[in-house]
Amino acid sequence: ALDTLCSSCFLLLFSHVAYGDLSYSFPEEMKRGSVIGNLAKDLGLETGALSNRRARIDTDGTDKRYCDINLNNGELTVADRIDREELCEEKASCILKHELVLENPLELHRISLHIQDVNDNSPQFKEGLINIEIHELADRGARFVIEEAHDADVGQNSVQQYSLKNNDNFILAANGNTIHLILDKELDREKKQEINLLLTALDGGSPQRSGTVVIHVTVLDANDNEPVFSQAVYKASLPENSPVDTVVVTVSATDADEGINGDVTYEFGHVTENVKKMFSIDSKSGEIRVIGAVDYESTTSYEIRVKAKDGLGLSSYAKTIISITDVNDNAPVVKLKSLTNPIPEDTTAGTEVGIINVQDRDSERNRQVRCSIQQGAPFKLVPSIKNYYSLVTTGQLDRELVSEYNITITATDEGSPPLSSSKTVQLSVADVNDNPPVFEEQSYSAYVSENNKPGSTLCSVTARDPDWRQNGTVIYSLLPGEVNGAPVSSYVSVNGDTGVIHAVRSFDYEQFRSFKVQVMARDNGSPPLSSNVTVSVFVSDVNDNSPQILYPAPEGNSFMTELVPKAAHGGSLVSKVIAVDADSGQNAWLSYEIVKSTDPGLFTIGVHSGEIRTQRDISESDSMKQNLIVAVKDNGQPSLSATCSMYLLISDNLAEVPELKDISYDEKNSKLTSYLIIALVSVSTFFLTFIIIILGVRFCRRRKPRLLFDGAVAIPSAYLPPNYADVDGTGTLRSAYNYDAYLTTGSRTSDFKFVTSYNDNTLPADQTLRKSPSDFADVFGDLDESSEVRVAYLPSHFTPKNTCLIPPETTLITSADIYIPLCLWTDCVSVIIPQPCNMQLQNFSCVKL
């Protein structure tokens, strides 16, 4: 029957009102899920638009939501049981306020739900039995007020009529809410002391509902005055949250009768259960007091019916209207309706990231709310529709500076005193790959000793990327390049995860001393960002090269002989050992030492210069043949060394020399060697005499004896280290002892010698001590292939100081036989070549040493 009633009474009323208001009318007690209307159709929107714009239903001032929206088809449906009597009590109009919120862009539509009453409540009398005492002397037509029946429904569904079961004495008269029982025939207590009447109340619903009450009439003696209230309507104002036992209003009624007939008592007439929980009335004094929590937001006014009754049952009624005044007892409530989280750090200023709703259940000024946001955060609140605010950005975000914001939104009403509440919104900033890796240093230097093991660690580079996760993950790699013509990857490698640089091969300081590589650090972002850094690798020297003796030539390669005049005094320079070391620094610092000699006390050698000098004057008792073994050591750890043999002849005349090429020194076979020399001299006396005569004639023409050089004194360029160079000014040869000497090949007859000095600087690493015949052409001029020149070298102590005179009677040799040994003498500072010479040397004066 209820379904039929709902179907017949369902009247759906929809109308557009100003500012986008929607209004629907439907009966109460509809089942959950019942369709109220179609919002999409009524708003002229496509069905899918509600879902795309995140449509939702918000309530107005209450936390309970009675309807919902189907985002798929746009239908507005019943979400919870709707009881009009519970929501609106006796109000004729029952309206629920809801709001439809659409986002992106934000729209707000107010929805008014008019709840139509359904006849689901029967009329009820306050009491199941009404007792009336009537004096038997009551006149015909006397009226007795009967408390009306109450029906929770309203309008047509409320009580519409009353009926009284047929009886002999009374009839019923109803006028609005006032019911009178009229005495139609006088009572006779002696005949009938009690009369029971059945009163029925009928509503106007369909189907019709009814309620009954029994009126028990007791016939008494006459009581002809009923209580009379001082005023028909009492009005009072009560602030909400008034304490319990507060007196709201006092009603007063008087009765003209005396005694028990004039004793008046008070009670509530028919009131709702809510009134009974909120107020009480003193039956003797008529004071109405507060017994519950008064809340303006729940009910703004109460209408209470008060009954005054005398001792014999006569009564009257008055109305009391209590208005509840609002007190600022509700703080604003901040609700987060929508939030975009996390926010990309490249979000532009002015972007909406959230929607905030602020509500206050108070009224008037107490309901006015101001909303603010904390200072310092790059966000602000922009007022939108009604009590909605948009949370928008005000500046550029940077996750690397601030990765998370705790935004406190404070809402304050304008009550007195004002109330406020806050809500903290947590916003995270999403990372964007906007930072390239940055190396901790602008450049890196790695130091490694030569002969290192492949795979050894050189150094480590570190780059930091403040971005997050893959945007901040750094990968290292080598940039393409070349070192000495080879790919850089064949020299070093880098660990892509740790940035540790390893050596791929073993390095040789003598090949290269340093090189540079470019390391790139790249992140894993999209697109990836990168940066480069230069790593300079310096190879340090290790003492892995032994000294190389340039002069005299190493044993087994040549036979070196020096002539020492007998008149040489102590301290005279007789020869010089020249050596080089391909290493660098202290590894190339050389020291010289005579480890073996024929006469240990006769000669000494400069520890650092390698100059061999006499320690004392040469005496006649000294052996003509002096053999020296010289050791050259470097200053490395451990030290490396090399040895050479030096053969010296103490003689002023070559005639005294038996056979130069037979002179050698061997400590173990020194006696055997002497015997062999004597034997050879004896056998070859005639031949040697002839040689000595020729040599004597030649030497007699000169004022001083000359030094003879064996043809093998020429030092081939192969003895020079291929990459010998000075390092930081610590080379093995000082500029004062760097010479070029040009000789011809041959035997003891080779006596051409021309001395020049090298530049003050030491030899570059890519040069050697080689000279070609073409080089001589640049110095001496164009030589005819047939021209011959022989120049003899005479030490300064045989001639005037610092001058080496060259006689014109020189033996001619061909220029094609020129070799390059090193000069062994330092006393001569210039060489003068006088005329005549069969060479084009007119412009040549001297060579400085």
Side-chain angles (χ1 to χ4, degrees):
L2 180 60
D3 292 339
T4 304
L5 178 62
C6 290
S7 299
S8 60
C9 293
F10 180 83
L11 179 59
L12 183 60
L13 177 62
F14 167 80
S15 63
H16 287 280
V17 296
Y19 305 103
D21 286 0
L22 302 175
S23 179
Y24 295 91
S25 179
F26 60 97
E28 64 175 330
E29 300 295 347
M30 292 183 68
K31 293 182 179 180
R32 288 181 176 87
S34 299
V35 177
I36 299 174
N38 193 303
L39 294 176
K41 180 178 178 181
D42 296 336
L43 292 174
L45 300 175
E46 295 181 0
T47 303
L50 296 178
S51 177
N52 294 335
R53 296 181 62 181
R54 294 184 286 185
R56 64 177 180 272
I57 298 296
D58 279 353
T59 59
D60 186 10
T62 179
D63 293 332
K64 194 168 184 180
R65 183 162 44 88
Y66 292 95
C67 62
D68 205 347
I69 182 173
N70 189 328
L71 297 179
N72 294 326
N73 52 29
E75 292 179 347
L76 183 67
T77 59
V78 176
D80 201 355
R81 177 177 178 265
I82 300 176
D83 187 358
R84 193 203 67 80
E85 288 74 26
E86 179 181 347
L87 293 175
C88 302
E89 298 183 350
E90 297 179 355
K91 293 179 180 179
S93 176
C94 185
I95 301 176
L96 295 180
K97 300 287 187 179
H98 283 44
E99 294 177 343
L100 173 64
V101 180
L102 300 177
E103 296 182 13
N104 193 25
L106 180 64
E107 290 184 19
L108 183 66
H109 298 274
R110 277 174 268 177
I111 302 176
S112 298
L113 302 178
H114 296 263
I115 311 302
Q116 301 296 324
D117 185 44
V118 174
N119 190 26
D120 55 347
N121 293 281
S122 299
Q124 291 182 351
F125 290 90
K126 177 183 176 183
E127 300 175 354
L129 179 65
I130 299 176
N131 292 311
I132 299 178
E133 295 178 343
I134 303 176
H135 198 276
E136 64 177 352
L137 298 180
D139 295 332
R140 184 175 180 268
R143 292 174 175 266
F144 304 93
V145 178
I146 305 298
E147 185 174 1
E148 74 274 15
H150 178 264
D151 195 331
D153 297 322
V154 296
Q156 188 67 25
N157 296 327
S158 62
V159 177
Q160 299 296 318
Q161 59 180 340
Y162 295 89
S163 64
L164 184 65
K165 187 178 181 179
N166 292 333
N167 62 87
D168 297 331
N169 300 96
F170 295 92
I171 59 175
L172 190 66
N175 183 12
N177 291 332
T178 304
I179 306 172
H180 290 91
L181 188 64
I182 302 175
L183 183 61
D184 188 56
K185 182 181 179 180
E186 292 82 0
L187 298 174
D188 186 356
R189 185 177 181 276
E190 287 70 28
K191 291 182 179 180
K192 198 173 185 179
Q193 295 182 359
E194 295 179 353
I195 302 172
N196 290 321
L197 305 174
L198 182 62
L199 178 62
T200 302
L202 299 172
D203 61 22
S206 177
Q208 191 177 48
R209 293 176 178 268
S210 62
T212 60
V213 66
V214 175
I215 302 175
H216 179 72
V217 179
T218 302
V219 181
L220 300 176
D221 287 334
N223 179 23
D224 53 356
N225 290 290
E226 60 184 20
V228 177
F229 282 97
S230 60
Q231 56 190 65
V233 178
Y234 293 86
K235 294 183 178 180
S237 178
L238 177 66
E240 66 173 326
N241 302 327
S242 294
V244 175
D245 208 31
T246 298
V247 177
V248 181
V249 65
T250 300
V251 297
S252 176
T254 58
D255 193 311
D257 295 326
E258 293 181 356
I260 192 173
N261 294 329
D263 189 8
V264 179
T265 60
Y266 304 94
E267 62 182 33
F268 286 141
H270 179 79
V271 293
T272 63
E273 292 295 326
N274 193 21
V275 173
K276 293 179 182 179
K277 294 177 181 179
M278 198 67 61
F279 303 100
S280 66
I281 186 170
D282 190 297
S283 61
K284 296 296 184 180
S285 64
E287 293 179 344
I288 299 177
R289 296 176 179 270
V290 176
I291 61 173
V294 181
D295 188 5
Y296 172 85
E297 287 71 41
S298 297
T299 304
T300 59
S301 64
Y302 294 91
E303 186 175 312
I304 303 174
R305 192 173 178 83
V306 181
K307 177 181 179 181
K309 183 177 66 172
D310 61 18
L312 294 180
L314 295 179
S315 62
S316 62
Y317 293 88
K319 182 186 294 185
T320 301
I321 300 175
I322 301 174
S323 298
I324 309 300
T325 59
D326 184 43
V327 174
N328 190 28
D329 60 342
N330 290 281
V333 178
V334 180
K335 295 182 179 181
L336 181 64
K337 295 298 184 180
S338 177
L339 183 66
T340 301
N341 197 17
I343 311 170
E345 63 178 322
D346 58 353
T347 300
T348 58
T351 301
E352 181 183 85
V353 297
I355 297 176
I356 307 299
N357 177 251
V358 181
Q359 294 182 358
D360 194 318
R361 298 181 63 191
D362 294 321
S363 64
E364 297 180 354
R365 189 175 183 83
N366 296 331
R367 189 184 181 92
Q368 303 299 317
V369 178
R370 300 187 307 273
C371 209
S372 63
I373 193 172
Q374 69 187 54
Q375 298 294 325
F379 300 93
K380 68 177 180 179
L381 287 176
V382 177
S384 185
I385 301 173
K386 197 180 177 182
N387 51 353
Y388 283 85
Y389 295 83
S390 294
L391 181 64
V392 299
T393 59
T394 60
Q396 184 66 42
L397 305 178
D398 190 347
R399 192 204 67 84
E400 287 68 47
L401 295 178
V402 181
S403 62
E404 192 172 80
Y405 291 93
N406 289 323
I407 303 171
T408 301
I409 300 171
T410 303
T412 305
D413 60 27
E414 296 185 2
S416 181
L419 299 179
S420 64
S421 64
S422 300
K423 185 175 184 63
T424 299
V425 179
Q426 189 177 54
L427 284 174
S428 299
V429 181
D431 185 49
V432 174
N433 190 29
D434 56 348
N435 290 281
V438 178
F439 285 94
E440 292 183 347
E441 300 181 18
Q442 293 183 352
S443 62
Y444 291 84
S445 297
Y447 299 89
V448 59
S449 299
E450 63 174 328
N451 304 325
N452 59 293
K453 293 183 179 180
S456 58
T457 299
L458 300 182
C459 68
S460 177
V461 298
T462 303
R464 307 293 183 187
D465 194 321
D467 291 324
W468 194 46
R469 289 188 176 175
Q470 67 178 13
N471 293 335
T473 302
V474 179
I475 299 174
Y476 303 92
S477 61
L478 291 177
L479 290 179
E482 291 186 353
V483 177
N484 287 351
V488 68
S489 58
S490 63
Y491 286 88
V492 296
S493 65
V494 62
N495 188 304
D497 297 326
T498 63
V500 176
I501 299 177
H502 300 276
V504 175
R505 63 166 66 175
S506 178
F507 302 139
D508 187 357
Y509 176 84
E510 286 69 43
Q511 291 183 359
F512 55 86
R513 303 180 184 183
S514 65
F515 60 92
K516 295 182 179 181
V517 297
Q518 293 283 330
V519 178
M520 179 180 70
R522 174 181 59 83
D523 59 29
N524 256 344
S526 179
L529 301 178
S530 64
S531 60
N532 303 332
V533 73
T534 299
V535 179
S536 299
V537 180
F538 298 94
V539 182
S540 58
D541 185 46
V542 173
N543 192 30
D544 59 345
N545 290 280
S546 300
Q548 294 191 19
I549 300 174
L550 304 181
Y551 184 85
E555 293 185 14
N557 294 328
S558 63
F559 183 77
M560 306 302 299
T561 304
E562 298 286 354
L563 187 64
V564 181
K566 290 182 179 181
H569 300 289
S572 299
L573 177 66
V574 297
S575 185
K576 177 178 176 63
V577 177
I578 300 176
V580 295
D581 195 314
D583 292 322
S584 175
Q586 67 176 7
N587 294 329
W589 296 351
L590 302 181
S591 60
Y592 301 86
E593 178 185 5
I594 298 176
V595 295
K596 292 182 182 181
S597 64
T598 304
D599 189 348
L602 182 56
F603 298 100
T604 183
I605 189 170
V607 176
H608 300 295
S609 65
E611 295 178 345
I612 300 176
R613 297 178 180 269
T614 57
Q615 294 191 73
R616 55 179 174 79
D617 295 344
I618 296 177
S619 63
E620 294 293 336
S621 62
D622 290 330
S623 173
M624 177 185 297
K625 298 172 292 181
Q626 296 290 331
N627 299 341
L628 305 179
I629 298 180
V630 178
V632 183
K633 295 182 179 180
D634 60 26
N635 198 37
Q637 294 295 332
S639 177
L640 302 178
S641 63
T643 60
C644 66
S645 296
M646 179 71 70
Y647 303 99
L648 303 177
L649 293 178
I650 302 176
S651 176
D652 290 334
N653 194 326
L654 289 178
E656 300 176 359
V657 182
E659 179 63 48
L660 291 179
K661 285 191 176 182
D662 295 334
I663 299 176
S664 63
Y665 178 80
D666 190 335
E667 187 178 20
K668 295 181 179 180
N669 301 313
S670 58
K671 292 182 179 181
L672 178 59
T673 304
S674 300
Y675 293 151
L676 291 175
I677 294 175
I678 294 173
L680 291 173
V681 171
S682 300
V683 173
S684 306
T685 300
F686 180 78
F687 179 78
L688 292 177
T689 301
F690 178 78
I691 298 298
I692 291 173
I693 293 172
I694 297 175
L695 295 176
V697 173
R698 182 177 298 172
F699 278 92
C700 288
R701 295 179 181 178
R702 303 185 182 185
R703 288 175 294 178
K704 292 293 180 176
R706 59 174 180 161
L707 178 65
L708 299 182
F709 290 89
D710 188 274
V713 78
I715 301 176
S717 61
Y719 284 98
L720 300 178
N723 297 309
Y724 169 69
D726 181 36
V727 180
D728 298 330
T730 58
T732 59
L733 292 181
R734 292 179 295 175
S735 61
Y737 299 117
N738 294 339
Y739 313 104
D740 275 348
Y742 305 101
L743 301 180
T744 61
T745 58
S747 62
R748 286 180 288 272
T749 61
S750 301
D751 57 0
F752 169 68
K753 182 176 182 181
F754 176 71
V755 182
T756 63
S757 67
Y758 289 111
N759 294 331
D760 291 339
N761 294 331
T762 322
L763 291 176
D766 58 347
Q767 296 181 6
T768 64
L769 299 177
R770 297 187 179 93
K771 289 290 184 177
S772 64
S774 61
D775 297 325
F776 285 151
D778 296 335
V779 178
F780 292 103
D782 297 332
L783 297 178
D784 295 334
E785 293 185 0
S786 60
S787 63
E788 296 180 348
V789 175
R790 182 178 296 275
V791 179
Y793 178 92
L794 297 180
S796 59
H797 56 268
F798 288 106
T799 60
K801 184 66 174 175
N802 295 334
T803 302
C804 297
L805 298 180
I806 299 181
E809 301 87 6
T810 57
T811 304
L812 299 180
I813 62 173
T814 60
S815 60
D817 294 331
I818 294 177
Y819 279 76
I820 310 171
L822 292 177
C823 180
L824 306 179
W825 304 92
T826 60
D827 293 341
C828 181
V829 297
S830 64
V831 176
I832 301 175
I833 303 178
Q835 296 296 333
C837 286
N838 295 327
M839 297 177 62
Q840 299 178 7
L841 301 176
Q842 288 81 0
N843 297 326
F844 185 85
S845 59
C846 66
V847 177
K848 294 294 183 181
L849 298 181

